[in-house]
Amino acid sequence: MSADALDELTIHEFAVPANLESDGGDDFVEMVAMRNEVETEILGNDDTNPTPRELLPFYQDPFAPKRLFLARVSGRIIGRGVYEWQPEDGATAAFLEVEVAAPFRRQGVGTSLLRVLEASAAADGLRVLQSWSLHLPTASDDVLVPPTGFGAIERGSAAVRFAQAHGYRLEQVGRMSRIDLPVDPDILAAKRADAAAHATGYEVVQWVGRCPDKWLTDMALVHQRMSTDAPSAALEFAEEDWDEERMRNLDDMNEAGGRVNLTSAALHVASGRLVGFTDIALPEHEGRPASQEDTLVLKEHRGHRLGMLLKVANLELLMRVSPVTPRITTFNAEENRPMLDVNEAVGFVPTAYEAGWKKTV
């Protein structure tokens, strides 16, 4: 970027539009296109790229509020910064995201965006700053390993240099995995039968789309436990408050974005309560890759191979509901070996890594 162009750089907070047809809708579409270009460049594919319609509801979520800042040169969106926080009492962390289009990097745009985000956190009294960056596997021996001892990223990558230059410490590495579809149904049937033999006293309950009213309370509980039970290393998260209203809001966002959730849940027969779940999100456009979302079994019900049972059941459901879906992507903490064992056993393979960064001010 030339010095003259840099002089024209502006960063402003962007008012998220009510819909894509209202004022600001075109700018939101342009922002999503820039975001997708950046992530496609990093990953080498567009498997995780959302459409504007899919992404918009998540910028309107009252339970995970966000502010969006756009960097422009001559009116063109060349960078974005996302500032997110938790509305729960006692939350201490802000979640920051900075992305800059390739031709405009190493010119101070990312730093300028980060300063705006950090200033927003300071104004809100949030002293823990956390962010994530995507990385391809590396053959280099010069790697950075988090304190967990699990996973590694290339020390010399641009994202690492940027994070460390601004005082952030690597706390966790997550794995991005992919499974190509269809999976051999005989293999899935055998794994499901084996898991079911260890899950006496449990049944699988499934649905497509909105959570049935009868399960809203149970699903709210397991979602809340996702915020406390999932491995997070030294990254900080407040326990999320989930109730039936928040569950309905999640379904509303998926419907507004054209996404369809496929859910398989574990029913504890003796209590009549759901004690675990997994869900896969089908995207707006048929034939695009799906996203494996959350998976959790309550701690007090682990040891019965429910994770395997639910994963296999949901894969079978997906192949029935959407046989044209080509593959699924998912993210897991590298130290979450029980879940990685399940994923690897059904055919997921690692494709990329996600670094979790933290700075306390």
Side-chain angles (χ1 to χ4, degrees), residues 37-78:
E37 287 175 4
V38 170
E39 299 204 3
T40 297
E41 174 200 354
I42 296 171
L43 297 174
N45 62 66
D46 65 355
D47 284 0
T48 59
N49 289 356
T51 65
R53 181 189 174 194
E54 289 171 341
L55 199 57
L56 180 59
F58 293 90
Y59 279 80
Q60 301 166 330
D61 183 3
F63 297 100
K66 300 172 184 64
R67 296 170 63 189
L68 176 61
F69 297 85
L70 299 181
R72 298 176 188 262
V73 169
S74 301
R76 172 188 171 188
I77 297 172
I78 55 97

Side-chain angles (χ1 to χ4, degrees), residues 89-113:
D89 292 340
T92 59
F95 310 102
L96 316 180
E97 183 178 4
V98 172
E99 290 180 322
V100 177
F104 300 91
R105 292 178 198 152
R106 305 190 73 175
Q107 303 291 328
V109 178
T111 295
S112 297
L113 281 165

Side-chain angles (χ1 to χ4, degrees), residues 209-266:
R210 300 187 72 90
C211 177
D213 287 349
K214 66 181 294 185
W215 300 127
L216 285 171
T217 297
D218 288 359
M219 287 298 293
L221 172 62
V222 291
H223 274 278
Q224 183 156 328
R225 291 281 290 272
M226 273 294 304
S227 66
T228 60
D229 291 5
S232 57
L235 298 171
E236 297 184 26
F237 303 90
E239 181 175 1
E240 296 175 353
D241 295 328
W242 280 82
D243 56 15
E244 292 188 7
E245 178 187 3
R246 188 164 183 176
M247 280 299 305
R248 290 192 178 98
N249 176 73
L250 178 60
D251 285 337
D252 290 343
M253 290 193 299
N254 282 323
E255 286 187 349
R259 294 173 17 130
V260 177
N261 258 25
L262 311 180
T263 304
S264 293

Side-chain angles (χ1 to χ4, degrees), residues 86 92-95 128-132 146-148 168-174 227-228 230-238 333 335 354-360:
Q86 294 182 275
T92 59
F95 310 102
V128 178
L129 309 176
Q130 298 177 159
S131 187
W132 286 262
T148 64
Y168 287 77
R169 169 188 166 94
L170 179 66
E171 295 291 355
Q172 186 181 48
V173 171
S227 66
T228 60
S232 57
L235 298 171
E236 297 184 26
F237 303 90
E335 66 267 32
E354 186 176 52
W357 302 93
K358 176 180 176 181
K359 178 167 79 170
T360 302

Side-chain angles (χ1 to χ4, degrees), residues 107-170:
Q107 303 291 328
V109 178
T111 295
S112 297
L113 281 165
L114 183 61
R115 286 173 178 163
V116 170
L117 302 182
E118 292 185 341
S120 299
D124 288 341
L126 299 177
R127 300 182 58 249
V128 178
L129 309 176
Q130 298 177 159
S131 187
W132 286 262
S133 57
L134 291 170
H135 303 260
L136 287 178
T138 177
S140 173
D141 294 329
D142 188 14
V143 296
L144 190 63
V145 178
T148 64
F150 293 88
I153 55 174
E154 185 175 351
R155 188 184 302 272
S157 72
V160 169
R161 295 197 304 269
F162 182 83
Q164 292 183 327
H166 292 91
Y168 287 77
R169 169 188 166 94
L170 179 66

